[in-house]
Amino acid sequence: MKTRITELLGCEYPLIQGGMAWIAEHNLAAAVSNAGGVGLIAGGSAPIDYLREQIRLCKEKTDKPFGVNIMMMSPNADDLAQLCIDEKVAVVTTGAGNPGKYIPAWKEAGIKVIPVIPSVALAKRMERAGADAVVAEGTESGGHIGENTTMCLVPQVVDALEIPVIAAGGIGDGRGVAASFMLGAEGVQLGTRFLASEECQIHPTFKELVVKAKDTDSVVTGRYTGHPCRNIKTKFSKKLANGEKDGSLSPDEFEQITLGSLRKAVQDGNLDEGSFLCGAIAGMINDIKPCAEIVKEIMEQAEKLLKY
Ligand code: TUI
């Protein structure tokens, strides 16, 4: 399956792993890259020394291309952006904001730049700013999301841009990949499917929630704070959703009790205070497998459906 994305990134499959904050570290990224996709390490709001170490550990585990995701809302985004240049990272993706100010320096350093965007307007701005490709991310995704669905967003972004488009949001198997290609995408990004992988370092309770989730076990919280996030339904996320709905939780109180909640989910599996960010496709994911198997099965299924 050769597309402009495999050509751009020098990978076997046009498949990248989402740069999930607090989750995507070097073991996961290296496993996905070794499987023929492109793994990403999440910068999130990590300290610079942590990210430098993760990049170096990843280089030890794979000689294939891998990337880093820079979260624009991170207080140290400037430092992490420069670190990618210093460490000669092959690919940078960005999320939760407009990375325009970093693009010239990344391009100058030979880094492939792929912003994650939730709208056609931002996609066009990113193309004008020099992005190599975009990830068009639908609201089915886990974590911080826009409003548009993958099915509606991807073809509109494809029509609006010349650069290649990677589809994200709600893709969990080869059918989702094939569907994305029918919409005009030339690559896919998957996050949730890799939560249930052997190499993913999240707490076992988190993996169990993903594997056990049904189609209706996904909830969006925090719309009224301006940072809507998709989570797995738990006692905690239901409390947040109800507090938002009935007005018993002010936006300030919401921000207070969700502070640190990603770490509590990922590291502690804390069901009472953790935010288990996860995409809506979790209902379809029923097993934990090595990344190599996940990537191979998905791409074989997609190739069969698309008759490559
Ligand atoms: O970034 C993500 N997903 C994320 S980031 C994250 S960490 C976080 N923690 C606390 C609050 C919020 C986030 C968890 N999940 N996905 C990519 C993505 N980017 N989705 C939506 C966007 C986005 C939104 C607005 C990209 C650009 C944008 O631009 C607004 C503007 O014009 O500046």
Side-chain angles (χ1 to χ4, degrees), residues 21 71 73 95-98 116 118 122 125 137 143-146 227 262 277:
M71 212 261 285
M73 281 165 42
N98 179 348
V116 180
L122 194 59
R125 267 158 72 192
E137 188 188 88
H144 182 52
I145 47 171
H227 308 303
L262 302 189
L277 303 188

PDB file of all heavy atoms in Angstrom, residues 21 71 73 95-98 116 118 122 125 137 143-146 227 262 277, ligand 1:
ATOM      1  N   ALA A  21      -1.214  11.764  24.981  1.00  0.00           N
ATOM      2  CA  ALA A  21      -0.532  12.364  26.134  1.00  0.00           C
ATOM      3  C   ALA A  21      -0.542  11.410  27.328  1.00  0.00           C
ATOM      4  O   ALA A  21      -1.557  10.767  27.612  1.00  0.00           O
ATOM      5  CB  ALA A  21      -1.215  13.677  26.517  1.00  0.00           C
ATOM      6  N   MET A  71       1.968  18.878  22.048  1.00  0.00           N
ATOM      7  CA  MET A  71       0.644  19.371  22.438  1.00  0.00           C
ATOM      8  C   MET A  71       0.750  20.890  22.635  1.00  0.00           C
ATOM      9  O   MET A  71       1.523  21.342  23.485  1.00  0.00           O
ATOM     10  CB  MET A  71       0.234  18.680  23.737  1.00  0.00           C
ATOM     11  CG  MET A  71      -1.236  18.455  23.891  1.00  0.00           C
ATOM     12  SD  MET A  71      -1.993  19.698  24.903  1.00  0.00           S
ATOM     13  CE  MET A  71      -1.451  19.176  26.501  1.00  0.00           C
ATOM     14  N   MET A  73      -1.042  23.084  23.923  1.00  0.00           N
ATOM     15  CA  MET A  73      -1.434  23.680  25.203  1.00  0.00           C
ATOM     16  C   MET A  73      -0.386  23.453  26.294  1.00  0.00           C
ATOM     17  O   MET A  73      -0.537  23.959  27.409  1.00  0.00           O
ATOM     18  CB  MET A  73      -2.780  23.113  25.658  1.00  0.00           C
ATOM     19  CG  MET A  73      -3.950  23.771  24.943  1.00  0.00           C
ATOM     20  SD  MET A  73      -5.497  22.876  25.095  1.00  0.00           S
ATOM     21  CE  MET A  73      -5.474  22.388  26.773  1.00  0.00           C
ATOM     22  N   GLY A  95      -1.066  18.790  18.277  1.00  0.00           N
ATOM     23  CA  GLY A  95      -2.486  18.719  18.620  1.00  0.00           C
ATOM     24  C   GLY A  95      -2.881  19.845  19.547  1.00  0.00           C
ATOM     25  O   GLY A  95      -2.015  20.538  20.117  1.00  0.00           O
ATOM     26  N   ALA A  96      -4.185  20.036  19.669  1.00  0.00           N
ATOM     27  CA  ALA A  96      -4.777  20.966  20.631  1.00  0.00           C
ATOM     28  C   ALA A  96      -4.335  22.413  20.418  1.00  0.00           C
ATOM     29  O   ALA A  96      -4.152  23.164  21.373  1.00  0.00           O
ATOM     30  CB  ALA A  96      -4.486  20.492  22.057  1.00  0.00           C
ATOM     31  N   GLY A  97      -4.173  22.810  19.154  1.00  0.00           N
ATOM     32  CA  GLY A  97      -3.831  24.199  18.869  1.00  0.00           C
ATOM     33  C   GLY A  97      -3.147  24.346  17.524  1.00  0.00           C
ATOM     34  O   GLY A  97      -2.941  23.360  16.813  1.00  0.00           O
ATOM     35  N   ASN A  98      -2.781  25.584  17.234  1.00  0.00           N
ATOM     36  CA  ASN A  98      -2.204  25.937  15.936  1.00  0.00           C
ATOM     37  C   ASN A  98      -0.666  26.004  16.041  1.00  0.00           C
ATOM     38  O   ASN A  98      -0.128  26.866  16.731  1.00  0.00           O
ATOM     39  CB  ASN A  98      -2.773  27.315  15.528  1.00  0.00           C
ATOM     40  CG  ASN A  98      -2.239  27.795  14.213  1.00  0.00           C
ATOM     41  OD1 ASN A  98      -1.289  27.245  13.662  1.00  0.00           O
ATOM     42  ND2 ASN A  98      -2.860  28.846  13.697  1.00  0.00           N
ATOM     43  N   VAL A 116      -2.381  17.912  13.559  1.00  0.00           N
ATOM     44  CA  VAL A 116      -3.705  17.308  13.700  1.00  0.00           C
ATOM     45  C   VAL A 116      -4.718  18.448  13.727  1.00  0.00           C
ATOM     46  O   VAL A 116      -4.543  19.409  14.484  1.00  0.00           O
ATOM     47  CB  VAL A 116      -3.812  16.467  14.993  1.00  0.00           C
ATOM     48  CG1 VAL A 116      -5.200  15.855  15.130  1.00  0.00           C
ATOM     49  CG2 VAL A 116      -2.752  15.368  14.997  1.00  0.00           C
ATOM     50  N   PRO A 118      -9.018  19.738  13.390  1.00  0.00           N
ATOM     51  CA  PRO A 118     -10.414  19.316  13.499  1.00  0.00           C
ATOM     52  C   PRO A 118     -11.346  20.025  12.502  1.00  0.00           C
ATOM     53  O   PRO A 118     -12.551  19.843  12.577  1.00  0.00           O
ATOM     54  CB  PRO A 118     -10.775  19.722  14.937  1.00  0.00           C
ATOM     55  CG  PRO A 118      -9.953  20.970  15.165  1.00  0.00           C
ATOM     56  CD  PRO A 118      -8.748  20.908  14.269  1.00  0.00           C
ATOM     57  N   LEU A 122      -8.684  25.230   9.543  1.00  0.00           N
ATOM     58  CA  LEU A 122      -7.338  25.072  10.112  1.00  0.00           C
ATOM     59  C   LEU A 122      -6.449  24.245   9.182  1.00  0.00           C
ATOM     60  O   LEU A 122      -5.249  24.517   9.058  1.00  0.00           O
ATOM     61  CB  LEU A 122      -7.421  24.442  11.510  1.00  0.00           C
ATOM     62  CG  LEU A 122      -6.141  24.547  12.326  1.00  0.00           C
ATOM     63  CD1 LEU A 122      -5.703  25.988  12.545  1.00  0.00           C
ATOM     64  CD2 LEU A 122      -6.298  23.865  13.680  1.00  0.00           C
ATOM     65  N   ARG A 125      -5.032  26.559   6.655  1.00  0.00           N
ATOM     66  CA  ARG A 125      -3.970  27.395   7.234  1.00  0.00           C
ATOM     67  C   ARG A 125      -2.680  26.611   7.371  1.00  0.00           C
ATOM     68  O   ARG A 125      -1.586  27.124   7.137  1.00  0.00           O
ATOM     69  CB  ARG A 125      -4.410  27.929   8.603  1.00  0.00           C
ATOM     70  CG  ARG A 125      -5.072  29.304   8.481  1.00  0.00           C
ATOM     71  CD  ARG A 125      -5.963  29.628   9.628  1.00  0.00           C
ATOM     72  NE  ARG A 125      -5.282  29.915  10.874  1.00  0.00           N
ATOM     73  CZ  ARG A 125      -5.911  29.990  12.048  1.00  0.00           C
ATOM     74  NH1 ARG A 125      -7.217  29.781  12.123  1.00  0.00           N
ATOM     75  NH2 ARG A 125      -5.255  30.280  13.134  1.00  0.00           N
ATOM     76  N   GLU A 137      -8.873  14.811  12.172  1.00  0.00           N
ATOM     77  CA  GLU A 137      -9.308  13.998  13.315  1.00  0.00           C
ATOM     78  C   GLU A 137     -10.771  14.252  13.647  1.00  0.00           C
ATOM     79  O   GLU A 137     -11.152  15.370  14.000  1.00  0.00           O
ATOM     80  CB  GLU A 137      -8.417  14.311  14.524  1.00  0.00           C
ATOM     81  CG  GLU A 137      -8.675  13.362  15.675  1.00  0.00           C
ATOM     82  CD  GLU A 137      -7.943  13.774  16.944  1.00  0.00           C
ATOM     83  OE1 GLU A 137      -8.499  14.563  17.715  1.00  0.00           O
ATOM     84  OE2 GLU A 137      -6.825  13.299  17.145  1.00  0.00           O
ATOM     85  N   GLY A 143      -9.733  11.653  23.847  1.00  0.00           N
ATOM     86  CA  GLY A 143      -9.027  12.866  24.261  1.00  0.00           C
ATOM     87  C   GLY A 143      -9.699  14.120  23.753  1.00  0.00           C
ATOM     88  O   GLY A 143     -10.905  14.145  23.497  1.00  0.00           O
ATOM     89  N   HIS A 144      -8.877  15.157  23.575  1.00  0.00           N
ATOM     90  CA  HIS A 144      -9.350  16.486  23.179  1.00  0.00           C
ATOM     91  C   HIS A 144      -9.863  16.431  21.734  1.00  0.00           C
ATOM     92  O   HIS A 144      -9.124  16.024  20.844  1.00  0.00           O
ATOM     93  CB  HIS A 144      -8.172  17.458  23.297  1.00  0.00           C
ATOM     94  CG  HIS A 144      -8.497  18.871  22.984  1.00  0.00           C
ATOM     95  ND1 HIS A 144      -9.535  19.542  23.570  1.00  0.00           N
ATOM     96  CD2 HIS A 144      -7.915  19.739  22.132  1.00  0.00           C
ATOM     97  CE1 HIS A 144      -9.573  20.779  23.105  1.00  0.00           C
ATOM     98  NE2 HIS A 144      -8.595  20.929  22.224  1.00  0.00           N
ATOM     99  N   ILE A 145     -11.081  16.828  21.506  1.00  0.00           N
ATOM    100  CA  ILE A 145     -11.704  16.618  20.185  1.00  0.00           C
ATOM    101  C   ILE A 145     -12.401  17.864  19.656  1.00  0.00           C
ATOM    102  O   ILE A 145     -12.787  18.755  20.411  1.00  0.00           O
ATOM    103  CB  ILE A 145     -12.769  15.483  20.261  1.00  0.00           C
ATOM    104  CG1 ILE A 145     -13.687  15.677  21.487  1.00  0.00           C
ATOM    105  CG2 ILE A 145     -12.101  14.117  20.250  1.00  0.00           C
ATOM    106  CD1 ILE A 145     -14.874  14.763  21.531  1.00  0.00           C
ATOM    107  N   GLY A 146     -12.586  17.879  18.327  1.00  0.00           N
ATOM    108  CA  GLY A 146     -13.446  18.859  17.682  1.00  0.00           C
ATOM    109  C   GLY A 146     -14.855  18.292  17.550  1.00  0.00           C
ATOM    110  O   GLY A 146     -15.168  17.255  18.131  1.00  0.00           O
ATOM    111  N   HIS A 227     -12.533  22.723  26.415  1.00  0.00           N
ATOM    112  CA  HIS A 227     -11.629  21.609  26.116  1.00  0.00           C
ATOM    113  C   HIS A 227     -12.386  20.289  26.219  1.00  0.00           C
ATOM    114  O   HIS A 227     -12.181  19.523  27.165  1.00  0.00           O
ATOM    115  CB  HIS A 227     -10.444  21.582  27.089  1.00  0.00           C
ATOM    116  CG  HIS A 227      -9.718  22.875  27.206  1.00  0.00           C
ATOM    117  ND1 HIS A 227      -9.170  23.508  26.115  1.00  0.00           N
ATOM    118  CD2 HIS A 227      -9.463  23.671  28.272  1.00  0.00           C
ATOM    119  CE1 HIS A 227      -8.605  24.633  26.508  1.00  0.00           C
ATOM    120  NE2 HIS A 227      -8.774  24.765  27.810  1.00  0.00           N
ATOM    121  N   LEU A 262      -5.295  12.671  34.125  1.00  0.00           N
ATOM    122  CA  LEU A 262      -4.764  11.776  33.087  1.00  0.00           C
ATOM    123  C   LEU A 262      -3.720  10.848  33.706  1.00  0.00           C
ATOM    124  O   LEU A 262      -3.723   9.650  33.485  1.00  0.00           O
ATOM    125  CB  LEU A 262      -4.134  12.571  31.929  1.00  0.00           C
ATOM    126  CG  LEU A 262      -4.998  13.566  31.182  1.00  0.00           C
ATOM    127  CD1 LEU A 262      -4.268  14.081  29.945  1.00  0.00           C
ATOM    128  CD2 LEU A 262      -6.324  12.954  30.787  1.00  0.00           C
ATOM    129  N   LEU A 277      -9.025   8.627  28.934  1.00  0.00           N
ATOM    130  CA  LEU A 277      -9.290   9.142  27.594  1.00  0.00           C
ATOM    131  C   LEU A 277      -9.230   7.990  26.588  1.00  0.00           C
ATOM    132  O   LEU A 277      -8.301   7.186  26.622  1.00  0.00           O
ATOM    133  CB  LEU A 277      -8.264  10.220  27.214  1.00  0.00           C
ATOM    134  CG  LEU A 277      -8.158  11.427  28.147  1.00  0.00           C
ATOM    135  CD1 LEU A 277      -7.249  12.492  27.553  1.00  0.00           C
ATOM    136  CD2 LEU A 277      -9.525  12.013  28.480  1.00  0.00           C
TER     137      LEU A 277
HETATM  138  O1  TUI B   1      -4.765  16.951  20.806  1.00  0.00           O
HETATM  139  C1  TUI B   1      -5.500  16.024  20.638  1.00  0.00           C
HETATM  140  N1  TUI B   1      -5.921  15.210  21.630  1.00  0.00           N
HETATM  141  C2  TUI B   1      -5.558  15.350  22.939  1.00  0.00           C
HETATM  142  S1  TUI B   1      -4.461  16.463  23.570  1.00  0.00           S
HETATM  143  C3  TUI B   1      -4.743  15.890  25.113  1.00  0.00           C
HETATM  144  S2  TUI B   1      -3.967  16.548  26.513  1.00  0.00           S
HETATM  145  C4  TUI B   1      -5.100  17.678  27.057  1.00  0.00           C
HETATM  146  N2  TUI B   1      -5.138  17.852  28.341  1.00  0.00           N
HETATM  147  C5  TUI B   1      -5.982  18.727  28.870  1.00  0.00           C
HETATM  148  C6  TUI B   1      -6.839  19.458  28.089  1.00  0.00           C
HETATM  149  C7  TUI B   1      -6.832  19.262  26.763  1.00  0.00           C
HETATM  150  C8  TUI B   1      -5.939  18.373  26.216  1.00  0.00           C
HETATM  151  C9  TUI B   1      -5.628  14.875  25.082  1.00  0.00           C
HETATM  152  N3  TUI B   1      -6.055  14.593  23.870  1.00  0.00           N
HETATM  153  N4  TUI B   1      -5.975  15.729  19.410  1.00  0.00           N
HETATM  154  C10 TUI B   1      -5.694  16.551  18.287  1.00  0.00           C
HETATM  155  C11 TUI B   1      -6.644  17.666  18.235  1.00  0.00           C
HETATM  156  N5  TUI B   1      -6.293  18.860  17.992  1.00  0.00           N
HETATM  157  N6  TUI B   1      -7.955  17.590  18.465  1.00  0.00           N
HETATM  158  C12 TUI B   1      -8.446  18.866  18.302  1.00  0.00           C
HETATM  159  C13 TUI B   1      -7.371  19.654  17.985  1.00  0.00           C
HETATM  160  C14 TUI B   1      -7.291  21.056  17.726  1.00  0.00           C
HETATM  161  C15 TUI B   1      -8.158  21.955  18.308  1.00  0.00           C
HETATM  162  C16 TUI B   1      -8.031  23.315  18.037  1.00  0.00           C
HETATM  163  C17 TUI B   1      -6.300  21.492  16.873  1.00  0.00           C
HETATM  164  C18 TUI B   1      -6.178  22.819  16.606  1.00  0.00           C
HETATM  165  C19 TUI B   1      -7.044  23.727  17.186  1.00  0.00           C
HETATM  166  O2  TUI B   1      -6.823  25.010  16.844  1.00  0.00           O
HETATM  167  C20 TUI B   1      -7.528  26.051  17.411  1.00  0.00           C
HETATM  168  C21 TUI B   1      -6.846  27.283  16.907  1.00  0.00           C
HETATM  169  O3  TUI B   1      -7.244  27.736  15.820  1.00  0.00           O
HETATM  170  O4  TUI B   1      -5.897  27.706  17.545  1.00  0.00           O
END
